[in-house]
Amino acid sequence: MARPTRAVAKSAPQAAEAPERVAVRKTYKIYIGGGFPRSESGRSYVVRAADGTPLANAVRGSRKDVRDAVRAARAAFPSWDARTAMNRGQVLYRVAELLEGRRDQFEAEVGQAEGLSAGEARAQVDRAIDRWVWYAGWADKISQVLGTVNPVAASYFDFTIPEATGVVGVVAPEGSSLLGLVSRLAPVLVGGNTAVVVASESRPLPAVTLSEVLATSDVPGGVVNLITGLRKELVPPLAAHMDVNAIDAWGVPAEMVAAVEEAAIENVKRVARAPRGGGERIDWLDDRAAQRPEWIAAFLEMKTVWHPIGV
Amino acid sequence: MYDRSVSTTVDRIARELAESEAHELVRAWDGRAAGLGGFLGRIGNVDQVGVEERAAGLAKRSIKRESKLWALDLAIRMIDLTTLEGKDTRGKIHALCQKAKRPDPGDPTIPSVAAVCVYPALVADAKAALAGSGVKVASVATGFPSGQTFLEIKLAETSRAIEAGADEVDMVIDRGAFLSGDYAAVFDEIVAVKASCGQTHLKVILETGELGTYDNVRRASILAMAAGADFIKTSTGKVTPAATLPVTLVMLEAIRDFERRTGRAVGMKPAGGIRTSKEAIAYLVVLYETLGPRWMTPDRFRFGASSLLNDVLMQIRKERDGRYSGVDYFTLD
Amino acid sequence: MTTSRDHTVTKRPASDAVGRGTASPSSWGFGDGQAIPWEYAPAPESREIVKLQSRYGLFVGGKEIAPRSGQWFTTLDPATEEPLAEVARAGVEDVENAVAVARRAFRRSWGELPGRERAKYLFRIARILQERSREFAVLETLDTGKPIKESRDVDIPLVAAHFWYYAGWADKLDYAFPGRTAQPLGVAAQVIPWNFPLLMLAWKIAPALAAGNTVVLKPASSTPLSALLFADVCRQADLPPGVVNIVTGPGEIGLALVKHPDVDKVAFTGSTAVGKQIGRAIAGSGKALTLELGGKAANIVFDDAPLDQAIEGIVNGIFFNQGEVCCAGSRLLVQESIAEPLVEKLKDRLATLRVGDPLDKNTDVGAINNAAQLAKIEELIEAGVAEGAELYQPACDLPERGYWVRPTLFTNVAQSHRIAQEEIFGPVLSVLTFRTPDEAVEKANNTPYGLSAGVWTEKGSRILKMVKELRAGVVWANTFNRFDPTSPFGGYKESGFGREGGLHGLLAYVRLEDR
């Protein structure tokens, strides 16, 4: 299986040349509860570059992996949600620090997966890191923009505050292997939710590398869980799971959307739908189109409180 | 002109009548004898955030090295060395008591602990093992740890433990009664146990981990002290959370207020979860800052602990010879 | 001059550890305390971490430069009166140079930078401040006299947090004000006080930079050092030169700075008197102005308050930072029905406060910041006694050198006393009583100031009612002296206008335009 390697100089005479060093190839696993288990199903599938070159075997996750991931996300939710907003923001900012440190690896993987030039890949990674920073900075501000004090017509102090909804299933965009994923995952985490992500089916490798970054950051285990595999096997159990509070459906293929929404309504999940024309049409590089605080709000519940005013 | 003395008597009788009628009304309003409802109403509340901040602030104090050595010695003298397990045997009790008398076989300057704390069935064995030493025997009683049994059993258990030789009794309050608001039942039970104790020193365990709020801890503290407790104690050690610094602070503040108002000085015992010297010293700082030097004595403060003792011995060793020690150097009994 | 020492309750014998409180609360049962070997160690934080220069120039255009005035002044450690360093004394030409540099930076670099990039500079600054937190805490304590416990646990964390918070707004200004675009104002002139030097710097610089402005900041003359060390953080963060400029000097230089015609925005924190001076100086100039001035806050305690926690709040309210706090709870308004037990507990608690070496981790109350302030506090304490209020100070020894005041309590204070009306800015609490909530509100509001207030009661509806009636910019319920970068802070009436912190804190530094 081909790997991104340095081009070997073929011009030099063969006689005194040392043999090329054999690389230690990475195994791409799924990320659940802060660790990297193999799928209980033991299956994998071949992931190819944009030009068809085989890149790696990725885990072909199963419904049981989805089940385990949801369990991990649920267990991690109370303490992630209980952190101060500032703390969550700092934890997420640190992820950006680590992304920056591994940018070369991401540029190579994204470039290969999507068939991009070096400059295009760099632009994608730049924007992914900056987008992550953008969302991290919302953690201690979103409630100031969404929350309100309501001037009710009686002697009550009345206020509305946003709270995290809980476990959010994210179906990552199929085409944009890093930037699209970051654009959909970051807003989920900012508000205090935990996530179960179904990675892009054809381009999952940058997502797995992102998991490695998360695992070595201060993000607690279980806050983000990421499963690779086939959409048709992973999305339905996620959409139907009764302990998932919301679904980000931007990456759901058009032909699956109706079934997903039907399954989701069984426990009245909040569904964030892709814009008209589908999630794949978005220009992820366009900040105005691709990063908005309402996508944080999509996974927040509004709580309104009343208290009398009087001696 | 009428006789002055007659009118004075008439006035007096009228006044007494009015007073007794008023007191009847107050009792009726309070709803129970001894006016407990009104009594508890004046206890005041505790702000959770404020008390936790204060406790955390006190934990930042750093004490002088010489004071630290004295504090570690005091901590040992304050320990109620405890074993409360279903599998306790005479052999276990014997070993524990030797440790209690002589915590460090290689160092005669190390004092004995204050007491051992055991189940009633093991009191006689403990008493025999500690004969001739100054270490006391404390017995749990009253259906420890849950307290979910009948009053007659609780009182009988108390009496039998004392007959077997217990110097101190650690009772548990009826948390079910407390949390359902029947404070009078809790109060009466403590009074009854105290009566069974006679001269024997009574500690009342509040089981703060089940009470749920600092308000309740304060309420239970005042109630227990009013019912005659000699000591109030945080926990059985069988429930988490057991002793914490903020809970201890709340109880010490209640003790302070109680002494101010009634003149009676009650002791305090945090129990469960105190494993290191650093923690023990933090408790002593909180004690000192709240109640001052008069409470810095085993007569007024105890640690309910077991593994704490070895950590304190280790720290004393380290302060004296400058080296960090290891577990192999201290006996496990 | 006569000192407050003459009024102390008893004169204690000198002890070996300087400034150690030797009194004990009356609730402990003994006048002197039983002789047990329990003592708090002097636990000094080491000075080693701070590398003081012998001389500090101005920080203009990203570099340290000598003042064109050619003049210097000395900054002292108020706990020992020892000189710490020489600092440039800017003249008018230095001010003009700094403003010109700030303007250039606004036009050519900072003002052109997208918010996304400005944010990352500010995040860098926040991170570096966190990394160098101990260094800054020790330096701040040396220069101000505040206890290391406070600079380490309160001031410096809040400083980093302010940069952290506003960094995240730099790239989101489009969402801060619905339907409007936020544009920077240009060059901001910022004059800050000596009580929280680095924190006041953060409150000023962070939002200004986030919004795209450049700044010229003048720290107080008795506390310039942490601002000058902050200059080093700007260098480490590779902040474009001229975005932040630090100009040190006396009050007149601050006035020259705010009057400079090429300044778009003026921000001042300090005394009401100087605030008014500044307002007069820029009247008619069209410059944006925010003022954060003095206070005489009422801390109101009802009979159902959780008493021991209220005591902590009262003590924190007036002895935190030696009471040198604009929002200090300097008037205790206690419901008459619990006045006696509360004051008793308060006196006991005062006796446990440790006054002494600010670098000692066990110290609760540090040194007064400068000689002028010490004189003012002592004058007002004498006034209080002369007016007939009853003075209490716990006995404790004070060091020979340095500027010190014992924690001071006045009871039987009336609304008409000077000590109930004038801002003392020191560790002096005046206790008054009230009978009903209305009376408490009336007394609390009966002052030209309106910065903060405290309310202590278990009853939620009463908290909210008091909140509604109190004319104060910050109301603390069942707590006191809580600050957060997300939480707007500022005063009513003569305590100033404008808010710092939160979304509202951005408003001061932007011009809102239609999309």
Side-chain angles (χ1 to χ4, degrees):
Chain A
M1 204 134 343
R3 272 284 186 277
T5 57
R6 294 187 306 282
V8 177
K10 297 240 182 336
S11 52
Q14 265 44 344
E17 218 178 276
E20 194 183 301
R21 180 185 173 276
V22 176
V24 179
R25 293 178 177 167
K26 182 153 95 173
T27 311
Y28 287 85
K29 300 208 263 176
I30 54 180
Y31 178 56
I32 297 184
F36 291 91
R38 295 183 183 279
S39 167
E40 59 77 44
S41 72
R43 305 172 306 170
S44 63
Y45 69 107
V46 176
V47 173
R48 296 175 182 279
D51 65 7
T53 321
L55 291 174
N57 293 326
V59 168
R60 186 169 151 191
S62 70
R63 62 187 315 110
K64 288 193 181 164
D65 297 317
V66 171
R67 175 202 64 193
D68 291 344
V70 171
R71 197 176 292 151
R74 177 59 64 195
F77 173 67
S79 57
W80 179 241
D81 186 39
R83 290 174 178 235
T84 62
M86 180 188 166
N87 181 254
R88 267 200 304 276
Q90 296 219 302
V91 168
L92 293 174
Y93 180 80
R94 175 133 179 87
V95 172
E97 288 180 352
L98 298 175
L99 284 173
E100 185 85 46
R102 290 178 68 161
R103 58 177 309 127
D104 291 346
Q105 186 172 17
F106 279 111
E107 281 175 27
E109 285 185 343
V110 170
Q112 271 196 325
E114 300 182 26
L116 305 177
S117 70
E120 287 168 339
R122 187 172 322 123
Q124 293 281 315
V125 174
D126 279 351
R127 194 51 53 91
I129 297 171
D130 288 349
R131 183 146 303 154
W132 197 280
V133 170
W134 192 83
Y135 275 110
W138 267 115
D140 53 3
K141 301 169 182 62
I142 190 73
S143 60
Q144 295 180 309
V145 162
L146 291 179
T148 56
V149 171
N150 310 310
V152 296
S155 188
Y156 289 89
F157 179 65
D158 190 295
F159 60 97
T160 301
I161 43 173
E163 290 186 350
T165 196
V167 174
V168 179
V170 176
V171 182
E174 184 63 28
S176 178
S177 59
L178 177 67
L179 180 55
L181 168 60
V182 160
S183 302
R184 300 312 302 164
L185 176 59
V188 168
L189 302 176
V190 165
N193 299 296
T194 55
V196 174
V197 182
V198 172
S200 158
E201 182 174 319
S202 57
R203 299 165 174 183
L205 303 187
V208 177
T209 307
L210 177 65
S211 304
E212 293 167 7
V213 167
L214 292 169
T216 53
S217 71
D218 298 323
V219 175
V223 171
V224 180
N225 306 274
L226 189 130
I227 307 176
T228 55
L230 308 186
R231 302 245 134 170
K232 64 177 198 277
E233 292 180 351
L234 296 176
V235 172
L238 186 63
H241 200 300
M242 298 291 275
D243 199 25
V244 169
N245 301 102
I247 292 267
D248 180 59
W250 276 53
V252 174
E255 64 275 15
M256 287 181 73
V257 168
V260 163
E261 291 187 2
E262 245 186 84
I265 200 67
E266 282 309 307
N267 68 327
V268 196
K269 286 183 185 62
R270 286 88 170 100
V271 178
R273 295 183 182 145
R276 209 170 287 229
E280 302 304 321
R281 292 280 201 85
I282 282 274
D283 177 4
W284 300 104
L285 285 171
D286 177 1
D287 279 350
R288 289 205 78 92
Q291 60 187 34
R292 312 187 73 91
E294 47 263 40
W295 298 335
I296 305 173
F299 305 108
L300 298 176
E301 306 295 327
M302 295 297 149
K303 174 178 286 172
T304 297
V305 180
W306 296 62
H307 194 300
I309 301 175
V311 289
Chain B
M1 293 283 116
Y2 52 86
D3 185 345
R4 254 300 178 65
S5 65
V6 169
S7 76
T8 316
T9 311
V10 166
D11 287 343
R12 182 176 49 79
I13 291 170
R15 195 170 49 248
E16 283 170 7
L17 203 60
E19 277 171 10
S20 90
E21 273 179 16
H23 284 138
E24 270 306 309
L25 290 170
V26 169
R27 259 196 294 277
W29 176 261
D30 285 344
R32 43 182 77 84
L36 210 55
F39 171 68
L40 281 174
R42 267 176 279 122
I43 281 175
N45 285 325
V46 180
D47 185 86
Q48 175 190 0
V49 174
V51 84
E52 288 174 358
E53 276 170 5
R54 174 69 174 143
L58 285 169
K60 289 185 201 170
R61 284 275 192 248
S62 120
I63 62 174
K64 234 177 167 130
R65 194 180 157 273
E66 295 73 29
S67 297
K68 195 169 170 195
L69 278 169
W70 178 79
L72 291 170
D73 182 278
L74 176 65
I76 295 177
R77 288 185 288 121
M78 285 173 163
I79 288 178
D80 283 0
L81 202 58
T82 303
T83 182
L84 292 166
E85 296 184 330
K87 60 183 183 177
D88 286 338
T89 59
R90 176 188 300 175
K92 166 72 181 178
I93 296 304
H94 182 83
L96 191 81
C97 289
Q98 303 317 308
K99 177 88 173 174
K101 288 190 291 189
R102 183 87 113 139
D104 187 344
D107 187 349
T109 69
I110 301 287
S112 309
V113 303
V116 301
C117 187
V118 299
Y119 271 114
L122 284 316
V123 167
D125 293 326
K127 196 74 181 177
L130 291 170
S133 76
V135 180
K136 303 212 176 56
V137 177
S139 174
V140 298
T142 69
F144 182 99
S146 72
Q148 297 280 17
T149 185
F150 308 101
L151 179 60
E152 315 84 76
I153 310 283
K154 296 186 193 187
L155 296 177
E157 194 185 12
T158 305
S159 307
R160 292 289 299 279
I162 292 170
E163 276 165 41
D167 304 298
E168 304 176 349
V169 169
D170 288 21
M171 72 166 282
V172 291
I173 64 166
D174 182 347
R175 280 89 74 198
F178 187 90
L179 291 170
S180 55
D182 194 355
Y183 304 118
V186 179
F187 183 85
D188 292 340
E189 198 172 87
I190 299 171
V191 171
V193 173
K194 175 81 177 163
S196 294
C197 281
Q199 292 305 308
T200 305
H201 179 109
L202 175 65
K203 298 193 198 88
V204 177
I205 303 172
L206 309 181
E207 196 66 305
T208 54
E210 286 182 346
L211 296 183
T213 66
Y214 295 119
D215 289 348
N216 275 349
V217 170
R218 181 174 168 85
R219 205 164 284 148
S221 300
I222 304 280
L223 183 155
M225 290 191 277
D230 296 298
F231 256 65
I232 49 176
K233 175 174 166 184
T234 58
S235 335
T236 61
K238 303 297 180 192
V239 156
T240 319
T244 66
L245 276 177
V247 148
T248 299
L249 178 58
V250 170
M251 290 170 69
L252 293 175
E253 286 173 345
I255 289 174
R256 177 172 64 189
D257 288 344
F258 194 78
E259 201 215 11
R260 249 277 153 74
R261 293 212 219 173
T262 67
R264 181 177 165 85
V266 174
M268 197 261 161
K269 175 175 171 181
I274 304 172
R275 290 193 185 87
T276 67
S277 304
K278 186 166 178 200
E279 289 169 318
I281 289 179
Y283 278 87
L284 291 175
V285 169
V286 171
L287 177 63
Y288 182 82
E289 292 279 326
T290 313
L291 288 164
R294 283 184 304 138
W295 259 260
M296 307 288 280
T297 153
D299 292 339
R300 297 254 177 99
F301 195 82
R302 299 279 180 86
F303 287 107
S306 39
S307 52
L308 174 64
L309 181 53
N310 273 0
D311 195 81
V312 175
L313 293 175
M314 221 186 303
Q315 292 311 306
I316 291 176
R317 185 80 63 86
K318 186 225 150 211
E319 291 292 329
R320 285 190 189 157
D321 65 17
R323 279 186 234 112
Y324 285 104
S325 200
V327 291
D328 287 345
Y329 297 93
F330 303 98
T331 65
L332 292 167
D333 300 85
Chain C
M1 93 187 71
T2 56
T3 66
S4 57
R5 289 163 220 217
D6 297 332
H7 299 295
T8 53
V9 176
T10 50
K11 190 102 180 80
R12 311 302 291 187
S15 52
D16 46 64
V18 131
R20 175 161 43 101
T22 51
S24 49
S26 62
S27 65
W28 288 6
F30 297 96
D32 284 329
Q34 206 172 30
I36 58 167
W38 180 269
E39 284 179 58
Y40 291 115
E45 184 69 47
S46 164
R47 277 178 68 145
E48 306 273 300
I49 194 169
V50 174
K51 306 279 177 275
L52 282 170
Q53 293 168 208
S54 55
R55 221 177 213 207
Y56 288 88
L58 308 172
F59 178 66
V60 177
K63 292 199 291 279
E64 188 182 336
I65 60 172
R68 291 181 187 182
S69 66
Q71 297 184 319
W72 305 82
F73 67 98
T74 308
T75 182
L76 302 178
D77 173 356
T80 59
E81 295 177 64
E82 276 170 33
L84 291 170
E86 269 203 317
V87 174
R89 190 190 203 283
V92 176
E93 324 90 76
D94 295 300
V95 169
E96 282 168 0
N97 179 39
V99 173
V101 164
R103 174 64 59 192
R104 235 180 349 260
F106 176 69
R107 279 221 186 91
R108 297 193 196 152
S109 58
W110 199 244
E112 298 301 306
L113 220 50
R116 184 174 59 227
E117 309 305 332
R118 283 206 305 276
K120 285 185 280 188
Y121 279 114
L122 290 168
F123 278 122
R124 279 185 191 174
I125 290 175
R127 282 308 218 203
I128 295 169
L129 285 164
Q130 286 176 316
E131 287 168 350
R132 298 175 71 170
S133 60
R134 189 55 52 95
E135 189 186 348
F136 272 100
V138 172
L139 181 62
E140 195 78 318
T141 282
L142 282 173
D143 209 14
T144 61
K146 71 173 70 202
I148 185 74
K149 204 170 57 170
E150 288 176 9
S151 51
R152 179 196 70 198
D153 294 343
V154 181
D155 289 54
I156 305 308
L158 277 174
V159 167
H162 266 267
F163 278 98
W164 173 268
Y165 177 76
Y166 280 108
W169 271 122
D171 54 1
K172 302 175 179 62
L173 292 174
D174 283 343
Y175 297 99
F177 308 102
R180 315 282 265 138
T181 277
Q183 298 296 333
L185 295 171
V187 174
Q190 305 177 322
V191 178
I192 58 175
W194 46 256
N195 57 349
F196 295 91
L198 194 65
L199 184 58
M200 294 298 99
L201 178 152
W203 281 21
K204 299 280 181 289
I205 292 186
L209 263 49
N213 305 282
T214 55
V215 308
V216 180
L217 179 134
K218 190 199 88 67
S221 54
S222 67
T223 56
L225 296 181
S226 52
L228 293 166
L229 189 62
F230 179 76
D232 195 48
V233 171
C234 295
R235 271 195 293 260
Q236 277 192 315
D238 278 326
L239 190 67
V243 174
V244 169
N245 304 279
I246 311 281
V247 166
T248 46
E252 311 90 84
I253 287 308
L255 215 46
L257 175 61
V258 307
K259 278 156 72 166
H260 193 297
D262 199 26
V263 155
D264 301 292
K265 152 85 190 152
V266 173
F268 171 76
T269 297
S271 69
T272 296
V274 175
K276 290 180 181 176
Q277 237 188 331
I278 289 176
R280 282 192 288 271
I282 68 168
S285 67
K287 291 175 188 168
L289 176 66
T290 47
L291 296 173
E292 206 269 277
L293 308 176
K296 190 71 181 177
N299 209 345
I300 303 168
V301 180
F302 287 94
D303 62 5
D304 68 336
L307 276 193
D308 288 314
Q309 288 75 56
I311 292 289
E312 292 308 311
I314 295 165
V315 164
N316 179 285
I318 188 57
F319 300 117
F320 173 68
N321 207 44
Q322 297 73 248
E324 298 162 322
V325 188
C326 43
C327 52
S330 50
R331 288 184 290 153
L332 170 59
L333 261 51
V334 54
Q335 190 163 0
E336 210 171 317
S337 48
I338 49 147
E340 204 187 294
L342 187 79
V343 170
E344 218 174 271
K345 274 186 189 273
L346 195 52
K347 287 180 176 171
D348 275 359
R349 180 68 175 91
L350 256 61
T352 68
L353 291 174
R354 301 180 59 77
V355 182
D357 178 11
L359 275 177
D360 185 338
K361 287 176 266 198
N362 280 321
T363 293
D364 301 314
V365 179
I368 301 301
N369 187 275
N370 55 75
Q373 189 56 32
L374 177 64
K376 183 164 172 235
I377 295 168
E378 289 177 338
E379 193 244 318
L380 278 160
I381 291 178
E382 281 166 34
V385 173
E387 294 177 304
E390 198 181 305
L391 172 124
Y392 170 79
Q393 288 177 334
C396 64
D397 299 310
L398 300 177
E400 285 299 310
R401 301 205 30 91
Y403 312 128
W404 305 94
V405 175
R406 285 188 190 83
T408 303
L409 187 67
F410 277 108
T411 47
N412 292 336
V413 179
Q415 195 69 354
S416 55
H417 287 164
R418 280 184 71 195
I419 55 172
Q421 291 296 320
E422 293 177 37
E423 187 181 34
I424 301 176
F425 223 67
V428 181
L429 179 65
S430 299
V431 183
L432 303 88
T433 59
F434 68 90
R435 293 157 299 174
T436 63
D438 276 350
E439 193 184 340
V441 165
E442 195 179 76
K443 284 188 165 154
N445 288 343
N446 179 223
T447 160
Y449 293 114
L451 185 51
S452 61
V455 177
W456 297 83
T457 170
E458 280 290 284
K459 198 171 182 195
S461 51
R462 179 157 43 198
I463 290 172
L464 295 171
K465 176 82 163 143
M466 297 295 287
V467 156
K468 196 167 167 186
E469 315 264 280
L470 287 167
R471 306 286 299 158
V474 181
V475 182
W476 285 298
N478 292 327
T479 188
F480 210 91
N481 276 340
R482 291 269 90 80
F483 308 100
D484 192 275
T486 63
S487 184
F489 182 94
Y492 282 34
K493 307 193 285 184
E494 291 196 19
S495 291
F497 46 78
R499 294 290 174 271
E500 295 181 285
L503 193 45
H504 302 73
L506 271 183
L507 265 174
Y509 288 98
V510 300
R511 191 178 59 242
L512 294 180
E513 290 176 353
D514 291 327
R515 294 272 170 88

